[in-house]
Amino acid sequence: MSLPELTLDAAVGFAGSVRNGFHLHPDGESRVYPLGATIAISRPRTDSKAREGAPTREHQTSHITFLHGHAGEVTALAVSSSGRFIASGESISSGVAEIILWEACNEAVGTTYAVARRLSLHIGEVVALAFSTDESALASIGGDNDRRVVMWNVSNGNALCGSPAPLDGKVRTVAFLRHSSTHFLTAGELAVSAWEYDAMTKRLQLEPIKLGILKRDILSIAVDENDEYAYLGTASADVLCVSIPNRVIKESFTLKKYISRGVSSLTIVRNGLLAGAGDGSLSLMRREDGSCVLQFEACRTVGDGAVTSVAVARSPQSNVKGLEYPKKCKSDYAKRKYVHEALLSLRNGYIGAECYRDASQTVAFPRKQSQYFATGGGSEVRVWATDTAKLLLKIDVKPCTSKCLCVSFMPDGDTLLSGWDDGKIRAHDRETGELFFVAANAHDKVTALRGMKDSSGIISGGSEGNVRLWNVINGSIITLEASMKEHRSSVNDIALFNDDASAVTASDDGSCVVWDILRRTRQVSFFGSTYFKAIGVHPDEKQIVTTGTDRKITWWDPADASTLRVVDDPADAELATLSIAHPHGASIAIAGTDRIVKVFDYESGDLTAITPRHCARVVAVAFAPDARALVSASADGAVRIWSIPDSPLAELGREKERHIHRVLTGEIDDDVLATARP
């Protein structure tokens, strides 16, 4: 029997780790990018959405189509010039890494695609793909275990020819010439090569492009409109210009004064060259007519991670105003101002510059507020609106090498807590991002934490196994109250009982401990042959639920640590996270390595609903406090918001809350209550 699927309200987040993986569809609206093991096609739309208790309003959303077909994560992506074809390559641990050629099912609807062909030659990984302008040929580059360059016939999926890559170093990128379907360039460590396919001999002929004494690691290629010059972005923040007909280097331009960490993406737009850098900046350089000379114009920061893709719309919009000076711009100041305004306009709609960030590792709601939630991952903590998936706040923590491992809220919902791998607990204002306090050396790594005691206390767990209690004074000073040691390994999760007088912790050492917070002592422990990854307390506090690497969901009695029920995961997957719906406790959500979020009936343990498969393993799930939404985060950087249908128990609980509210506010007086009694 097929199970009902939860309705996807919104999907946000994009890791952006695939170089040149973000594309603007030729339809001028859709965006195509890899998301774990799938291809996401996002089309913006204006939608009117109403939730009970929230005003109806227009807001910008996206309709997302997911293309499923890969067994491993997508590592290379290309879109043909008309948008008819999409090519995607994968990375797998062993065996053949497939290239899937997707073809549009309906020319009028360019975002509906089906698998046309599977191209199977590369071993382990496909690192780069490129279509010829006329869409007749596809070039692909294999990874370190393959090291082959292959040219494919798009119409029938046959390999025209394959050849070993140059032995000088890794080949990282490929680009066809604009006016040829038989000539393309490859580049990587220490080498740039020009390839030509000979249809008579059915062979690829290789000719190296001479860089003289320069030794560079090349990350990106951009070929000009006339196939005269190719611009190469390097890891040392240089842009090299080579003559394609003569196969020699012509000029070398350095951007070291303006950027760092290399030129990871290059794109030509009209008479300009856009360079995305590893430090999150986007630079604009002017190209002289009939010359390979470049002139630096402006640089703007567009993100905190590396700009791995810069995609220019293939519509009339790409004829961007500002790359040619108007007559009124005579002074150098006027020219700089005009270019900066042009670059800003590029940022605001004409190009998509995607920056790489680490994926979200954790999700948290405030205790009693469902309007927003927080995610943490990499060096960022973000706050999102639940109903619109709009980003409300982004907090960047320096240094950027620090990684957020857990987030939580104080009970008032106004203070956002985060735990970090540098051992610190940080507290920020949820609306402004202002830093309230920092607890340095709280743990080796802060792996779990919860706000408690009416915004005056925090409980945290660390990678060394310690569980610690903290006191917050006036919302700005934090002091250590107690440190409790029972676990011998990392504390992965903490759940509080309703009165905050007790807490339970789950650890990699195969134990869970129920703590008496007031006495700072252990009440009871229970053990399993597993790494306990997540734990939850039912609202009635009579049961505790755990998940872990043993692929089981286990119900425990917190009084004597006895096992009440064990349910095996239907997919036999390792389970990394769980959440119990509050306040009624009718449902429990679990997720893990099989990439599916499953919702179980709490009382019976029956599986009642599932979500469509995430694109990567799910690392966190959380019910909204009103149990009407479920948020899940996966290792590819995606955060998804799901609608939860009302259950009879949930509606009964809400009716009880409304009744109590009417009594407390005087909407129902004592006389009415007296007549209602039997």
Side-chain angles (χ1 to χ4, degrees), residues 39 70 74 76-80 85-89 99-102 119 129-131 138:
I39 310 300
H70 284 287
V74 176
L77 184 69
V79 179
S80 66
F85 296 105
I86 296 174
S88 55
I99 300 170
I100 297 181
L101 191 64
W102 310 84
L119 316 180
L129 294 166
F131 280 103
L138 175 73

Side-chain angles (χ1 to χ4, degrees), residues 299-412:
C299 181
R300 284 286 179 89
T301 299
V302 297
D304 300 310
V307 179
T308 56
S309 302
V310 179
V312 180
R314 299 172 188 173
S315 65
Q317 289 180 339
S318 63
N319 200 12
V320 180
K321 181 174 68 174
L323 296 182
E324 291 182 354
Y325 297 132
K327 294 181 180 179
K328 64 180 181 180
C329 294
K330 297 181 179 180
S331 67
D332 290 340
Y333 172 78
K335 292 179 179 180
R336 287 196 301 271
K337 181 179 178 182
Y338 194 80
V339 170
H340 279 220
E341 291 174 351
L343 192 55
L344 184 60
S345 69
L346 287 172
R347 170 81 193 282
N348 287 340
Y350 294 135
I351 56 176
E354 291 302 318
C355 302
Y356 171 76
R357 299 300 297 168
D358 289 327
S360 297
Q361 297 294 322
T362 181
V363 175
F365 276 93
R367 285 195 183 185
K368 298 181 179 180
Q369 300 179 56
S370 303
Q371 297 91 338
Y372 53 86
F373 63 91
T375 62
S379 61
E380 293 181 353
V381 178
R382 301 189 180 208
V383 180
W384 306 87
T386 308
D387 60 341
T388 63
K390 178 182 178 181
L391 180 63
L392 302 178
L393 175 69
K394 183 177 76 169
I395 300 171
D396 293 309
V397 172
K398 304 299 181 182
C400 60
T401 54
S402 298
K403 294 185 182 299
C404 179
L405 303 180
C406 51
V407 293
S408 183
F409 286 92
M410 288 303 230
D412 60 9

Side-chain angles (χ1 to χ4, degrees), residues 154-429:
V154 172
S155 62
N156 56 27
N158 293 334
L160 296 173
C161 187
S163 177
L167 299 176
D168 295 337
K170 298 179 181 178
V171 178
R172 302 185 187 277
T173 184
V174 60
F176 267 93
L177 272 59
R178 301 287 187 100
H179 303 285
S180 174
S181 61
T182 58
H183 293 73
F184 59 90
L185 306 178
T186 62
E189 291 181 346
L190 309 176
V192 185
S193 304
W195 300 80
E196 179 181 358
Y197 173 67
D198 188 339
M200 296 294 294
T201 61
K202 296 184 179 181
R203 290 187 177 182
L204 278 173
Q205 298 177 355
L206 166 66
E207 185 176 352
I209 295 179
K210 300 176 182 178
L211 299 181
I213 62 173
L214 295 179
K215 305 293 183 181
R216 294 291 187 269
D217 184 4
I218 298 168
L219 306 178
S220 52
I221 301 176
V223 179
D224 74 355
E225 298 87 342
N226 301 318
D227 292 340
E228 185 176 0
Y229 298 109
Y231 299 93
L232 313 175
T234 73
S236 54
D238 299 318
V239 176
L240 310 181
C241 180
V242 298
S243 171
I244 296 176
N246 298 327
R247 308 288 197 262
V248 295
I249 186 170
K250 299 294 291 185
E251 296 287 347
S252 175
F253 309 92
T254 182
L255 295 174
K256 293 180 181 178
K257 293 196 301 183
Y258 312 103
I259 69 172
S260 61
R261 303 185 193 174
V263 180
S264 51
S265 181
L266 280 178
T267 299
I268 289 176
V269 53
R270 204 175 176 182
N271 62 327
L273 182 67
L274 292 165
D279 59 1
S281 65
L282 183 65
S283 300
L284 173 64
M285 290 168 283
R286 172 183 290 276
R287 297 187 296 142
E288 298 293 340
D289 293 337
S291 170
C292 63
V293 176
L294 295 176
Q295 180 181 352
F296 176 82
E297 295 286 3
C299 181
R300 284 286 179 89
T301 299
V302 297
D304 300 310
V307 179
T308 56
S309 302
V310 179
V312 180
R314 299 172 188 173
S315 65
Q317 289 180 339
S318 63
N319 200 12
V320 180
K321 181 174 68 174
L323 296 182
E324 291 182 354
Y325 297 132
K327 294 181 180 179
K328 64 180 181 180
C329 294
K330 297 181 179 180
S331 67
D332 290 340
Y333 172 78
K335 292 179 179 180
R336 287 196 301 271
K337 181 179 178 182
Y338 194 80
V339 170
H340 279 220
E341 291 174 351
L343 192 55
L344 184 60
S345 69
L346 287 172
R347 170 81 193 282
N348 287 340
Y350 294 135
I351 56 176
E354 291 302 318
C355 302
Y356 171 76
R357 299 300 297 168
D358 289 327
S360 297
Q361 297 294 322
T362 181
V363 175
F365 276 93
R367 285 195 183 185
K368 298 181 179 180
Q369 300 179 56
S370 303
Q371 297 91 338
Y372 53 86
F373 63 91
T375 62
S379 61
E380 293 181 353
V381 178
R382 301 189 180 208
V383 180
W384 306 87
T386 308
D387 60 341
T388 63
K390 178 182 178 181
L391 180 63
L392 302 178
L393 175 69
K394 183 177 76 169
I395 300 171
D396 293 309
V397 172
K398 304 299 181 182
C400 60
T401 54
S402 298
K403 294 185 182 299
C404 179
L405 303 180
C406 51
V407 293
S408 183
F409 286 92
M410 288 303 230
D412 60 9
D414 294 330
T415 302
L416 176 59
L417 303 173
S418 54
W420 299 78
D421 69 348
D422 60 4
K424 295 180 180 179
I425 298 173
R426 294 177 169 90
H428 294 85
D429 185 275

